[in-house]
Amino acid sequence: MAGGPRGRAAGLLPIALVLGAGLLLTFTLQERYHHRILTLVLVWATMGLSWNIISGYAGQTSFGHQAFFGIGAYVTVLLILHAGLTPWIGMLVSAAVAVVAAALIGFPTFRLSGIYFALATLAYPLILRIAMDFLGYQEVAIPMAREQPALYMQFRDPRANDLLCLGVFGATLLLSRAIERARLGYWLRALRENEAAAEAMGVDTFRCKMAAYMLSAAPAAIAGAVYAHVVLYVVTPDSVFGTLAIVQTLVVCLVGGIGSLWGPVIGAALMLPVSEMLDTWVGDRFPGIQGVMYGAALVAIILVAPEGLYWRLRGLRRGARPAAPPVAVVAGPGPAPAVSRAPDGGGEPLLEARGVSKAFIGLQALDDVSFAVRAGEILGIIGPNGAGKTTLFNVLNGFLPPDRGEVRYRGERISELRPSAVCRRGIGRTFQVVRSFPRLTVLENAMVGGFVRDAEPAAAGARALAALERTGLAARAGALPGSLTTLELRLMELARCLATDPRLVLLDEPLAGLSAEGVEAMIAHIRRLPAAGVTVVIIEHTMHALVRLADRLLVLDHGRRVADGLPAEVTQRPEVIEAYLGTRWLRRAEHHRP
Amino acid sequence: MEPRQNAAVTRRAVVLAVVGALLGFTVAPPAAPAADDLTIALVAPLSGRWARQGQLKKMGAEMAIEEINAQGGVKALGGAKMVLREADAGDSVEKAVSAAQRVLTREKVSAGIGSWLSSFTLGVTEVAEREQVPWLTLSYADSITERGFKYTFQTSPVAGAQAVKALDLLLDLARRNKTQIRKAAIVGDNTAASVFFFKPLREKLLQEKGIELVVDEIWTPPLADATPVVQKVRSTQPDIIFFSATALPDSIQVLQKTKEFGLRIPIMGNGVWLLMPETVKALGKDLVEGVMSTVAAHPLKGQEALVKKFKDRTGEPFMVQDALMTYAHVWIVKEAAERAKSRDPKAIRDAIATLDVSAGPAASTLVPGRIRYDERGRRLDATPIIVQWQGGEPFTVAPAEFATRKPSWPSGK
């Protein structure tokens, strides 16, 4: 699995092997019932793969994915019935209908997040089920085509069914692989791991989710159409929109593992034969017991491999030998990003906040804050806890809209933009608590940033590696964030931010939690940024470090700007000392003053 | 440290137990039937939501097989024993079709029976058609025999014809009780079974008979409160209520309210769900008293001995459609095998297609006492039966010549 820089062909070999095994079974199986089990494995693997696109890669759990499965079955069969259209074309039509349906469902639903999205998806198959009942499609039998059976997807030879399912399955595998390896795949995994961080790194999470949802609807519809023809022979709302359809999909994915294209394949290849074997050996003689045993097998597998068999097996392999850098982009050309840019003209400020106010219920977090950031400087923002520093960053990079006032970047008003759009304009940020993408390697973390400038994974990878080199992390490119020290995590986040090729970076307490040496190392890295054409705005509440680092300080207290000026001056001001240490210290400071 | 180790031990124990259980079942394959037996497949839901119906079918089939084997098996095949091979259709079309595929390709099956739910039957008969094994079903859906299949035989009157004939029987019943039906009410839920029952009445049949539809109350189960529904019925005073509330709690509510309001209006349902032993257990003898339902089969006049035998061997309080029809199906296969003088499914199919019997257990179970199938595989002159609850037991009340009880027609205000 761990590919070298072989580029396009990597990962194709296992797919070829699996499809080859499918072909072998197609032509060696004798009994019709065994062929049926093979087609069931392939159909449910396809359905699992399609669910995995939205719920695995993008992490948006859908409990209603059978809506598209059912649309595929119903649209195809109704087109045969009412228009005499061959299912070969009908299933493509149904895929198009499913994609449109996904767009219509996703548009309102993706504004909900987390569990609310999952709950909302429950409703759609339910609605469609009732609609089919209402329209009188309780039982739609597929008319038997005696004249041209192949034209109507009806084959006497079970091997033809196998090949049909194998084709659909193979196409879905290739689609999954393409998504995994494309920019979209990295973006989806990033937003699954940490939506806010992804958005801040230029990922338009709403559009990415929509893209994933629509891409996942098409194979589900095709699977539904094929299922109706080779498995059911009759379409009922219950059999395609019902809970059994989604339960089967979830079982296949949960057993195999979510978030990899091999998970659903392993899950289907294991669970469907087990289910059929239980039906054969137990079910016909002791009806009902097969369900109990199937449930027990499911529980046992989940106990052994709670994260799914694929990840479990991979974990065992990884444990056996040192982790290889998993991405295929270590080498290759790419623009060196560390070019120093001529500072923008001295007059116009790079970033400007004008009268920004932001209140949360009862709390005025920011109150009429105005300031400007000049190109090439390091501006420090200090203030005690609760002064509104992080809220200010959230307004600057678009996480929060200001109640009043505006933010302008290079003369453009940016206060209504999504964080991803702000990022694409050249403003990067890091977070107070590091927001890594834990299941992506260090290099992949940085690549998410790199995709802002390069759509090609190879180029984005080169850009990411260059950023890692700048922060001295290149040697850890293949590691997972979980194995990094606090300093390395901070540096990784900085590298990820630099990979977006920003003109301005917003660093939220980059020194927090670092040892003394760590602070020195981090300060050295930040100091080098202006020379490379990157302006820095940095939040800290430890004053002494920032005094050494910043060209200029801005002091916030209770959401108001208290002071602004050169570090040495600002720290002497009584209002700053008061804000930080209280009036008692202020009196002492005045007492000591010569 | 301790608890983690314990967890690992428990986990291992669970895995071992499951693997062990799986292996245990692997090494004990089902007993294979002898080569000269005649095997009938029964594909029906034996587990899951509809398991009860499948179990009843199995009881009926087993009783017929025991009778046949006791009187010397299939005589034309040298006294071949009949063997039932059941396969669990579970609770999904996928499982039902898999079960049919399994049983029809792994064993030498001469004929099949099943699979209760219309959608299951539609899928299962497709497999039977491809495998060229004759298939007998009691499912009602018209679509089952509209596909031009040669191997499917539908013994029940199809739903479309059932509605027409049942209404005729009902009007006749009213006439015999010196009343007339001028106004009707439709009361029920919107599940598939109810929709198929109401649709022809509402769209065509009532109008054809000059009956006015005065109440049309449909809900999605569960019904919150039956009072407004029953009040509407009371204020319009229909002569008949067409009733189909397939969820028992809804049925209880509606019937309780009609009793409370003192309505004396005949209630006519559809399907066997209203005639099950479970129905009277849940609703009580008094609530179901007088309620009628249309089914494809029910014990007829002269079958008292059969019913008694059934009750004795199964412990069931009475015999209903699913057991009775499956009993008849096994006998039909036996009759066909005698005529075909062969176990070959194709020969048996031809024998069923040309069958014409008007005596024996099969014929005496089904109205009108004669068994013939037309070229589509529908039983000729198949007639539905009106069954009425009387004293906690359902009895055939129409057609009159097959009735085991006189109908009790609630009348007067």
Side-chain angles (χ1 to χ4, degrees), chain A residues 77-322:
Chain A
V77 172
L78 291 179
L79 280 173
I80 300 173
L81 240 53
H82 297 307
L85 187 67
T86 156
W88 295 103
I89 297 174
M91 74 179 182
L92 299 178
V93 176
S94 79
V97 173
V99 169
V100 172
L104 293 176
I105 292 173
F107 195 74
T109 317
F110 279 127
R111 293 175 196 275
L112 309 169
S113 59
I115 187 75
Y116 299 104
F117 169 76
L119 286 177
T121 57
L122 276 174
Y124 298 106
L126 219 58
I127 294 170
L128 287 166
R129 227 168 123 173
I130 293 168
M132 291 304 130
D133 275 334
F134 178 78
L135 294 171
Y137 295 129
Q138 282 92 347
E139 285 164 356
V140 188
I142 300 171
M144 195 181 247
R146 288 167 202 279
E147 304 297 310
Q148 294 163 297
L151 184 64
Y152 286 93
M153 224 183 251
Q154 298 174 8
F155 305 107
R156 282 220 144 265
D157 189 337
R159 285 174 298 187
N161 283 341
D162 299 350
L163 290 177
L164 168 63
C165 295
L166 206 56
V168 170
F169 167 71
T172 311
L173 262 186
L174 290 175
L175 173 72
S176 296
R177 173 183 172 272
I179 291 173
E180 269 190 10
R181 300 169 56 86
R183 174 165 73 170
L184 180 63
Y186 287 90
W187 276 355
L188 291 177
R189 272 172 281 161
L191 81 88
R192 172 190 69 198
E193 301 286 313
N194 196 317
E195 200 163 330
E199 184 71 41
M201 290 299 102
V203 181
D204 188 332
T205 50
F206 180 74
R207 286 178 58 174
C208 282
K209 287 187 223 168
M210 284 292 277
Y213 205 36
M214 289 159 74
L215 280 173
S216 73
I222 303 263
V226 170
Y227 181 70
H229 279 85
V230 308
V231 175
L232 292 184
Y233 311 125
V234 49
V235 184
T236 65
D238 215 35
S239 59
V240 292
F241 290 120
T243 30
L244 281 174
I246 188 68
V247 166
Q248 189 76 281
T249 310
L250 289 174
V251 162
V252 157
C253 291
L254 290 177
V255 164
I258 293 168
S260 149
L261 82 166
W262 296 114
V265 180
I266 294 171
L270 183 71
M271 291 319 277
L272 282 144
V274 164
S275 160
E276 292 293 332
M277 282 190 306
L278 286 173
D279 282 348
T280 309
W281 292 331
V282 192
D284 293 342
R285 282 185 291 156
F286 310 103
I289 302 295
Q290 78 268 40
V292 176
M293 293 178 68
Y294 185 72
L298 199 59
V299 169
I301 291 170
I302 303 244
L303 281 177
V304 173
E307 71 279 50
L309 288 171
Y310 170 72
W311 298 110
R312 179 83 184 156
L313 294 172
R314 213 170 98 123
L316 291 178
R317 265 186 61 180
R318 282 219 160 179
R321 49 174 206 166

Side-chain angles (χ1 to χ4, degrees), chain A residues 31-34 36 44 139 146 227 233-234 236 238 275-276 278-280 284-285 287-288 290 303, chain B residues 11 22 28 46-47 49 86-88 92 94-95 97-98 101-102 106 118-119 126 130-131 148-149:
Chain A
E31 212 175 278
R32 256 194 125 90
Y33 178 54
H34 292 154
R36 183 174 168 87
W44 288 113
E139 285 164 356
R146 288 167 202 279
Y227 181 70
Y233 311 125
V234 49
T236 65
D238 215 35
S275 160
E276 292 293 332
L278 286 173
D279 282 348
T280 309
D284 293 342
R285 282 185 291 156
Q290 78 268 40
L303 281 177
Chain B
R11 192 184 300 168
L22 282 173
L46 297 170
S47 67
R49 260 190 286 181
E86 58 271 30
D88 182 8
S92 70
E94 180 189 312
K95 287 278 171 214
V97 175
S98 282
Q101 189 74 67
R102 184 163 67 231
R106 310 196 115 188
S118 291
S119 55
E126 181 99 21
R130 289 176 190 194
E131 300 296 337
F149 283 12

Side-chain angles (χ1 to χ4, degrees), chain B residues 284-306:
Chain B
K285 246 164 99 165
D286 295 341
L287 270 193
V288 296
E289 183 66 24
V291 171
M292 295 176 283
S293 188
T294 318
V295 283
H298 202 77
L300 307 174
K301 194 161 70 184
Q303 290 196 295
E304 291 76 12
L306 177 84

Side-chain angles (χ1 to χ4, degrees), chain B residues 110-398:
Chain B
S110 300
I113 300 172
S115 302
W116 197 67
L117 212 63
S118 291
S119 55
F120 289 11
T121 306
L122 282 164
V124 164
T125 46
E126 181 99 21
V127 176
E129 188 74 11
R130 289 176 190 194
E131 300 296 337
Q132 301 183 307
V133 176
W135 203 268
L136 294 152
T137 181
L138 63 68
S139 300
Y140 297 173
D142 297 51
S143 50
I144 291 169
T145 36
E146 273 167 358
R147 296 170 296 174
F149 283 12
K150 287 173 64 189
Y151 286 83
T152 304
F153 297 95
Q154 193 169 20
T155 312
S156 302
V158 295
Q162 213 175 105
V164 179
K165 288 188 181 177
L167 189 60
D168 283 339
L169 283 173
L170 184 73
L171 294 180
D172 183 53
L173 215 56
R175 221 171 293 124
R176 283 163 192 264
N177 287 281
K178 309 201 171 15
T179 52
Q180 256 203 317
I181 293 178
R182 291 196 198 84
K183 294 192 289 183
I186 284 179
V187 172
D189 57 31
N190 61 357
T191 58
S194 309
V195 169
F196 285 128
F197 172 38
F198 294 144
K199 208 171 164 226
L201 290 171
R202 190 186 289 131
E203 286 176 358
K204 198 172 82 182
L205 298 179
L206 291 179
Q207 211 187 349
E208 279 176 9
K209 303 285 177 194
I211 300 169
E212 185 194 356
L213 185 62
V214 290
V215 174
D216 194 350
E217 283 291 310
I218 302 294
W219 65 84
T220 303
L223 178 62
D225 182 12
T227 315
V229 175
V230 179
Q231 228 149 23
K232 242 185 203 166
V233 172
R234 181 167 69 168
S235 61
T236 49
Q237 288 293 328
D239 304 307
I240 182 90
I241 301 171
F242 292 106
F243 176 66
S244 183
T246 50
L248 278 183
D250 293 357
S251 273
I252 294 175
Q253 270 206 68
V254 173
L255 295 178
Q256 242 158 15
K257 281 283 169 230
T258 47
K259 208 173 165 61
E260 250 175 62
F261 282 36
L263 296 186
R264 293 186 49 76
I265 303 169
I267 293 174
M268 180 75 194
N270 179 264
V272 76
W273 66 271
L274 202 47
L275 304 175
M276 295 287 288
E278 287 75 11
T279 316
V280 67
K281 217 178 272 172
L283 272 65
K285 246 164 99 165
D286 295 341
L287 270 193
V288 296
E289 183 66 24
V291 171
M292 295 176 283
S293 188
T294 318
V295 283
H298 202 77
L300 307 174
K301 194 161 70 184
Q303 290 196 295
E304 291 76 12
L306 177 84
V307 173
K308 184 173 181 316
K309 197 163 131 196
F310 178 81
K311 291 203 286 197
D312 288 347
R313 50 176 286 144
T314 61
E316 292 284 323
F318 44 83
M319 194 173 187
V320 293
Q321 168 189 278
D322 302 316
L324 194 62
M325 186 74 103
T326 313
Y327 169 84
H329 277 152
V330 173
W331 271 104
I332 291 172
V333 174
K334 193 253 179 193
E335 301 280 1
E338 296 286 8
R339 282 162 180 73
K341 300 183 176 51
S342 164
R343 286 178 195 80
D344 178 36
K346 284 181 212 153
I348 292 186
R349 180 245 157 232
D350 292 340
I352 296 175
T354 54
L355 201 67
D356 184 358
V357 278
S358 39
S364 58
T365 297
L366 300 167
V367 177
R370 185 172 177 190
I371 294 166
R372 290 175 298 164
Y373 293 93
D374 66 11
E375 68 288 347
R376 281 193 293 189
R378 290 181 179 174
R379 189 163 65 90
L380 279 165
D381 304 318
T383 308
I385 288 163
I386 296 182
V387 180
Q388 185 175 42
W389 285 101
Q390 293 184 7
E393 201 175 317
F395 291 100
T396 299
V397 293

